[in-house]
């Protein structure tokens, strides 16, 4: 095989692919800005330590890490969350509240490449810092929905599964589990969808067999699909904490429903999220058909900034991936067609005409119009063919006869009509033509 190939799980973006990617980024950026989020960026290479024990075992095992020439242990970022916590933590006192930030960047995880999963992918991250209440969740989940719905996807295409690690902690405590057992149960719940009963094997090895009656209660909790069902399930073990939590659930659901987004939300306690730092509400977006891996994931992580050595600042956020989003848009026929047409094609008689045309070509480009012309001398007929094939709206013809008369011929490419315009009026006539006046 000739030459070199890219590494497995890394993508190359030829112009057509790149324009699709830009289409996705453009929508994300537009929606984030409409929601009042500010854009930031940060390094792709970070100290390894930032992810150790912060992101969780799964991500730690997927790190692209190495020792640099200065002997530092470093890793390509697998996610943005620890980094953005550092940024916000370092300036927390000086930042105006609410702190609503977003970014678009590339991330790296040494995963087994499969449909929707690569080793280099992009994420749109949006996070709110300093807001302890569920108002922040409403804002973020609404943004997440809009970031997908903005492409033309509807409630029949995707939905957001809303869950709560706090409620699991409170419920498992009420069932009699202690703090050392709870993480094992949550890990089993995380795996349950994929592995079924085998998911509980790890827990059994560490803590002994799970009493069937308790297991049934856990599995029943997993079946809950609505807020009233959740309230009923919790009624027998109501504590102050659980009552308060239910109040917060009501607020989130009511807020999103008031925005007209209720039908995108599904109560689903099967989502507990693999990342180690989540503390409260957690959520994931999926396609309705269930063909694809998660489109997005996020939740509250109130302790992470403090764990990194900064202030005690509550935080909540999510990330959408570009790979599954792109696949879903393709499946639904919502990928934009690749348009690569100039506004104007300049047809040039010969070298003298080329020189004469350059002043106009440059002035038109400087005014923001996209202008193409042949880089080499080509017969007139061929140039007209190229102009037609390019999709240009108009052609400017710089022939010897025209220049001798001090004019340029403007051809409307859609109806083939032509008019002569004085050389010194090219810019204004083209502007009027292209802006439809
Ligand atoms: P995550 O669930 O690990 O969360 O990733 C979020 C999204 O990124 C996934 O739903 C998926 O679309 C995409 N993604 C993740 N890994 C890959 C991969 N190997 N290939 C393609 N796409 C992938 C986080 O990263 C959290 N840091 C999100 C967050 C922000 N939580 C709070 N703020």
């Amino acid at each position: 095989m000739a030459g070199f190939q890219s590494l497995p799980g890394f993508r190359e973006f030829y112009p057509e692919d790149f324009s699709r990617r830009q289409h996705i980024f453009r929508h994300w950026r537009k929606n984030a800005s409409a929601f009042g989020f500010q854009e930031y960026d940060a390094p792709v290479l970070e100290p390894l330590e930032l992810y150790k024990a912060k992101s969780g075992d799964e991500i730690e095992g997927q790190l692209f890490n190495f020792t640099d020439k200065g002997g530092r242990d470093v890793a390509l970022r697998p996610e943005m969350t620890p980094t953005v916590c550092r940024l916000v933590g370092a300036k927390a006192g000086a930042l105006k509240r609410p702190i609503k930030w977003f970014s678009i960047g590339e991330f790296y995880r040494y995963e087994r490449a499969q449909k929707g999963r690569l080793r280099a992918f992009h994420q749109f991250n949006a996070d709110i810092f300093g807001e302890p209440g569920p108002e922040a969740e409403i804002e973020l989940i609404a943004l997440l929905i809009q970031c997908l719905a903005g492409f033309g996807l509807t409630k029949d295409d995707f939905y957001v599964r809303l869950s709560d690690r706090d409620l699991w902690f409170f419920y498992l405590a009420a069932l009699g589990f202690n703090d050392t057992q709870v993480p094992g149960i949550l890990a089993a719940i995380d795996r349950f969808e994929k592995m079924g009963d085998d998911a509980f094997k790890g827990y059994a090895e560490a803590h002994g067999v799970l009493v069937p009656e308790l297991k049934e209660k856990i599995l029943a909790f997993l079946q809950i699909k609505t807020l009233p069902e959740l309230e009923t399930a919790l009624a027998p073990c109501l504590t102050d904490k659980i009552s308060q939590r239910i109040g917060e659930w009501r607020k989130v659901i009511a807020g999103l429903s008031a925005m007209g987004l209720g039908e995108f939300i599904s109560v689903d306690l099967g989502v507990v999220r693999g990342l180690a730092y989540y503390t409260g509400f957690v959520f994931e977006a999926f396609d309705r058909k269930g063909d694809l891996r998660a489109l997005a994931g996020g939740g509250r992580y109130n302790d992470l900034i403090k764990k990194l050595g900064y202030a005690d600042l509550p935080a909540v956020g999510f990330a959408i991936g570009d790979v599954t989003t792109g696949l879903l848009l393709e499946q639904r026929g919502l990928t934009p067609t690749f348009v690569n047409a100039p506004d104007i094609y300049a047809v040039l008689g010969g070298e003298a005409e080329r020189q004469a045309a350059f002043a106009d070509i440059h002035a038109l480009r400087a005014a923001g119009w996209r202008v193409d012309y042949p880089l080499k001398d080509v017969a007139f007929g061929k140039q007209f063919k190229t102009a037609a094939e390019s999709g240009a709206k108009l052609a400017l013809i710089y022939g010897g006869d025209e220049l001798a008369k001090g004019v340029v011929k403007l051809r409307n490419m859609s109806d083939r009509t032509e008019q002569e315009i004085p050389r010194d009026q090219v810019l204004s006539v083209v502007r009027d033509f292209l802006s439809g006046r």
Side-chain angles (χ1 to χ4, degrees), residues 388-434:
E389 284 169 0
S390 75
K393 296 179 199 73
L394 63 85
L396 287 175
I397 302 152
Y398 292 81
D401 293 348
E402 283 85 11
L403 291 186
K405 282 198 279 178
V407 299
V408 175
K409 212 180 265 169
L410 179 149
R411 178 185 282 198
N412 179 338
M413 295 302 287
S414 53
D415 64 11
R416 308 228 157 194
T417 53
E418 290 184 348
Q419 71 185 86
E420 286 187 345
I421 42 177
R423 284 290 311 276
D424 60 359
Q425 289 175 26
V426 171
L427 211 67
S428 60
V429 174
V430 165
R431 188 185 52 228
D432 289 352
F433 180 93
L434 289 174

Side-chain angles (χ1 to χ4, degrees), residues 57-64 78 108-112:
D57 294 344
E58 192 179 333
I59 282 203
E60 218 184 302
Q62 295 168 343
L63 285 173
F64 271 90
Y108 310 87
R109 295 185 194 177
Y110 201 87
E111 292 210 52
R112 196 166 50 82

Side-chain angles (χ1 to χ4, degrees), residues 59 78-81 109 111 116-123 125-127 273 275 277-278 284-285 294-299 301 316-324:
I59 282 203
E79 58 159 338
M80 191 56 115
T81 312
R109 295 185 194 177
E111 292 210 52
R117 281 292 175 276
L118 298 172
R119 289 183 177 168
F121 56 95
H122 293 88
Q123 278 185 349
N125 275 263
D127 296 86
R273 305 277 294 144
L275 293 159
Y277 45 67
Y278 291 112
E284 284 183 342
L295 297 161
Y301 49 102
V316 50
F318 69 84
I320 316 182
D322 72 325
V323 183
T324 33

Side-chain angles (χ1 to χ4, degrees), residues 45-63:
L45 195 65
E46 288 278 26
L48 177 63
E49 200 53 35
L50 191 61
Y51 308 108
K52 286 244 163 188
K54 308 289 189 311
S55 298
D57 294 344
E58 192 179 333
I59 282 203
E60 218 184 302
Q62 295 168 343
L63 285 173

Side-chain angles (χ1 to χ4, degrees), residues 35-109:
F35 276 68
F37 283 64
Q38 287 182 291
E39 189 163 4
Y40 67 94
D41 202 359
V44 294
L45 195 65
E46 288 278 26
L48 177 63
E49 200 53 35
L50 191 61
Y51 308 108
K52 286 244 163 188
K54 308 289 189 311
S55 298
D57 294 344
E58 192 179 333
I59 282 203
E60 218 184 302
Q62 295 168 343
L63 285 173
F64 271 90
N65 60 303
F66 56 96
T67 307
D68 77 4
K69 290 176 182 167
R72 298 174 199 89
D73 287 328
V74 295
L76 284 170
R77 61 185 183 190
E79 58 159 338
M80 191 56 115
T81 312
T83 299
V84 72
C85 284
R86 183 187 62 217
L87 262 68
V88 169
K91 297 208 170 161
L95 297 171
K96 260 205 1 242
R97 313 285 173 91
I99 306 166
K100 295 164 56 170
W101 282 15
F102 82 97
S103 65
I104 297 174
E106 193 168 33
F107 297 87
Y108 310 87
R109 295 185 194 177

